[in-house]
Amino acid sequence: MRLDKFLTECGLGSRREVKSLIDNKKISVNGNFKISSKDNIDEKSDIIKYEDNILSYKEFRYYILNKKSGYVTAVEDPRDKTVMDLLPDWVIKKDLAPVGRLDKDTEGLLLLTNDGQLNHKLLSPKSHVDKTYIAHTEKDFSEEDLEKLRKGVDIGGYITMPAEASKIDTNILSLTIREGKFHQVKKMVEAIDNKVIYLKRVSFGKLLLEDMELGEVKEINLEDII
Ligand code: URA
């Protein structure tokens, strides 16, 4: 692989920016600073350093984002801002895609990766990844409503799979589902004659939103996910 491509993929900046790092002797290959951005390196065996830090090449990258409302879950959109616009410069965007979808007005945990196989696997109907949402509802709900959500409700010709539902506070519901139908949580809440007015995803499988700030991004490892 070309050295400038490698450095760009490690997140050190654009081709022009990494060329300037090389010209300013910030980069070494096997201890050698007399290098050119066009040089070919072997990313598996050569030791490439940025100042004193060894740069390691990762084929697959995984990030979690605490999505803000007002951004669509897509890589590109002709009208709206997308979740990609929320990612800081240090995130390597090449081939990166969100895993699943949160609505434009939904906040919370979104996984993004360039690992297409994992993305596909996690979204497969067979994989049944648990996803927990906190929903603020227009009006309060009863234990009977929660029981209906647990057993499964009709969301327009489809009966939802058993779910976990509990009351956090007046008008605040915690709902864990194992599937991901279009607008599923909003439709489930409509099925108990209520309406979601705010929605946040707080977990996706093993991943937890915890105390991440709105708009914050963290790089994580595959072992954190599966
Ligand atoms: N269910 C919804 O209705 N919306 C989301 O964004 C996610 C789950």
Side-chain angles (χ1 to χ4, degrees), residues 13-14 39-40 49 53 55 61 95 105 122 129 136 138-139 158 161 168 173 177 197 205 209:
S14 64
D39 286 352
N40 272 309
K49 283 190 181 174
N53 307 304
L55 299 170
R61 292 175 297 273
D95 300 330
D105 58 356
L122 292 174
V129 177
H136 293 211
E138 197 170 62
K139 52 188 181 178
Y158 175 80
M161 284 171 56
I168 295 194
L173 166 77
I177 57 175
I197 53 169
L209 190 65

Side-chain angles (χ1 to χ4, degrees), residues 67 73 101-107 131 133 177 179-188 196 199 201:
K67 179 189 172 295
T73 308
R101 227 177 68 97
L102 291 176
D103 295 337
K104 184 176 171 183
D105 58 356
T106 300
E107 291 182 353
K131 293 160 280 260
Y133 294 86
I177 57 175
E179 42 191 349
K181 302 284 174 204
F182 188 57
H183 296 325
Q184 182 160 343
V185 175
K186 290 175 184 165
K187 285 181 184 164
M188 287 176 77
V196 170
L199 188 61
R201 182 156 71 189

